[in-house]
Amino acid sequence: MKHYQSHSLLSHNTFGFLVSCSDFYQYEKKEELIELYNEGVFRGQWLPIGDGSNLLIKNDLDYPVIQSNIKTLEVIENSEKKCLVYVGAGVVWDDFVQWAITQQLGGVENLSLIPGRVGASPVQNIGAYGVEAKDVIRRVEVYDTKENRFRVIEAIDCAFEYRGSLFKKEKQLIVVGVTYELIKAPYYELKLDYGNVREVLQGLDTITLQDVRNAIVDIRMSKLPLPSEIGSAGSFFKNPVVSKTEFERLQQDYPTVPFYEVTDGYKIPAAWLISQCGWKGKNIGAAGVYEKQPLILVNRGGATGDDVLFLMKQIQLSVKDRFAIQLHPEVCLIQ
Ligand code: EPU
């Protein structure tokens, strides 16, 4: 296990804020968490971190940050149609996606190029282009920092929801590994009905997993900033879900409002609400609203967490004022 004191988090938060932490622990084996327990690290405040691609860290942290570097990737069950793969929390998510595609295993191709590590995939139930992590997760292995023991939680008990799960609420749990259920060729079904995915693939006779990955990568690259070039944490807000009555009122005033019907109401793209309020491409100081996808708040260079939070509040106020809809951050705010 590596341990650094007074450690800069600049390369561990994709917003690119100049923040630090008192101690930074990087563990290679899950058993090392027991050492941290014995040292008393879990008695105070601590923060588990992947690649910091969904965090807004506002200030220097006077408590430890703990990062998994467990790189296991193991096929644990193989049948004619399916394959169960156990992946360590420290594996880079997109490396796992590329591995699955190379092995001709379907299920995660639509989740190509999502930044971050495997450990975060169940926590916020990452999702894109019609697929969510919950669709492929079979079970999650966690370390319980209160009880000092490892536990395996079956998918059905993970309380997966849109960008959320049990692990967002039960903060004492650290994800150490995830078992995914992937489907073998030729049994997997491609999901091409979100947005312009099918359109991008037009002209191909047979569509391979790699073709889908390439299409998703192209779409993402055309809309989303690369964390290595522009600081951001992906979508800053969740897409709000409104009731039928609220939706009908909204549609009366704005007949062109885009929407998706979901089980508990109507999901309205926050990007649309934010654009309607005139925020697209706008900046306040060094914090900005990305011009190609207004759901993304960016660091134009030298922004602080406070700058982004100020911009967040202004956007929330104008969306609330105009549409009576409250936007909630998708990004975790770390104080
Ligand atoms: N839209 C606008 N103006 C824009 C862009 C989008 O009005 O400039 C509206 C359009 O109506 C469009 C709709 O927003 O049809 C949806 O846009 P998009 O398909 O880009 O998706 P999103 O709802 O804005 C979500 C996820 C993204 C994910 C994409 C694709 C959330 C919070 N975000 O964004 O996830 O990549 O769908 O599946 O659900 C992330 O979580 O960090 C993330 C990037």
Side-chain angles (χ1 to χ4, degrees):
M1 177 163 45
K2 297 196 176 104
H3 178 199
Y4 307 92
Q5 284 178 311
S6 300
H7 192 64
S8 169
L9 293 172
L10 179 61
S11 62
H12 298 291
N13 81 99
T14 54
F15 260 122
F17 297 145
L18 279 168
V19 284
S20 66
C21 62
S22 62
D23 296 87
F24 188 84
Y25 295 98
Q26 195 184 50
Y27 61 98
E28 314 279 333
K29 289 191 248 128
K30 63 183 187 185
E31 290 72 22
E32 288 171 337
L33 289 169
I34 298 171
E35 287 172 35
L36 295 182
Y37 179 90
N38 292 335
E39 284 173 29
V41 168
F42 299 123
R43 263 182 243 144
Q45 197 175 359
W46 51 278
L47 174 72
I49 197 171
D51 277 331
S53 51
N54 199 45
L55 299 180
L56 184 153
I57 305 176
K58 202 172 134 219
N59 301 310
D60 291 341
L61 307 177
D62 59 0
Y63 52 85
V65 169
I66 298 165
Q67 187 190 43
S68 166
N69 207 25
I70 304 177
K71 299 287 190 193
T72 321
L73 203 160
E74 204 184 326
V75 173
I76 54 170
E77 227 180 279
N78 220 334
S79 65
E80 192 204 334
K81 293 188 177 167
K82 289 178 183 171
C83 185
L84 288 192
V85 193
Y86 176 88
V87 191
V91 171
V92 170
W93 171 261
D94 199 50
D95 291 350
F96 165 55
V97 173
Q98 182 59 71
W99 174 87
I101 288 168
T102 312
Q103 303 296 310
Q104 286 295 302
L105 296 170
V108 285
E109 58 284 355
N110 289 34
L111 304 178
S112 287
L113 213 64
I114 293 185
R117 296 187 180 206
V118 161
S121 66
V123 179
Q124 50 154 346
N125 183 23
I126 57 172
Y129 306 99
V131 175
E132 285 185 325
K134 73 166 173 54
D135 303 334
V136 284
I137 291 177
R138 172 69 85 84
R139 60 180 86 100
V140 179
E141 188 184 15
V142 296
Y143 172 69
D144 189 321
T145 56
K146 281 208 178 115
E147 296 178 0
N148 185 25
R149 67 178 177 111
F150 294 97
R151 284 164 51 191
V152 172
I153 304 180
E154 295 298 322
I156 192 155
D157 299 318
C158 290
F160 287 126
E161 57 182 11
Y162 170 53
R163 291 299 192 276
S165 69
L166 168 85
F167 313 106
K168 268 209 168 164
K169 292 163 203 148
E170 306 265 323
K171 303 271 192 201
Q172 85 275 16
L173 303 178
I174 296 181
V175 175
V176 295
V178 183
T179 301
Y180 300 94
E181 182 177 296
L182 301 176
I183 310 294
K184 288 187 175 173
Y187 300 103
Y188 54 71
E189 276 174 38
L190 301 179
K191 297 209 170 92
L192 309 175
D193 290 326
Y194 184 101
N196 60 338
V197 177
R198 202 178 280 279
E199 198 183 306
V200 173
L201 288 161
Q202 232 172 25
L204 296 178
D205 289 341
T206 44
I207 300 173
T208 63
L209 293 174
Q210 187 65 47
D211 292 331
V212 177
R213 173 172 170 80
N214 294 345
I216 301 285
V217 167
D218 284 353
I219 297 170
R220 289 188 72 99
M221 299 272 275
S222 69
K223 296 194 189 182
L224 309 177
L226 271 182
S228 54
E229 286 167 13
I230 304 175
S232 90
S235 297
F236 194 89
F237 298 101
K238 288 189 209 168
N239 288 323
V241 173
V242 300
S243 68
K244 190 161 194 276
T245 329
E246 286 171 302
F247 174 69
E248 282 167 358
R249 202 177 309 137
L250 191 65
Q251 207 179 30
Q252 227 166 39
D253 295 343
Y254 303 91
T256 60
V257 59
F259 64 94
Y260 311 92
E261 260 190 90
V262 287
T263 38
D264 46 347
Y266 292 78
K267 196 182 258 188
I268 312 294
W272 183 84
L273 298 168
I274 297 168
S275 314
Q276 290 293 305
C277 293
W279 282 106
K280 205 167 172 166
K282 289 269 167 68
N283 300 319
I284 300 185
V289 180
Y290 194 52
E291 38 290 340
K292 293 185 204 161
Q293 173 35 304
L295 192 48
I296 296 177
L297 304 190
V298 294
N299 176 357
R300 301 271 183 211
T304 63
D306 277 322
D307 294 335
V308 174
L309 285 178
F310 184 75
L311 177 61
M312 169 191 93
K313 284 182 188 140
Q314 300 311 306
I315 294 172
Q316 284 173 319
L317 280 174
S318 53
V319 168
K320 181 100 202 210
D321 239 33
R322 174 134 178 211
F323 297 104
I325 293 177
Q326 180 66 45
L327 289 184
H328 295 286
E330 194 249 317
V331 167
C332 300
L333 310 180
I334 309 296
Q335 305 286 333

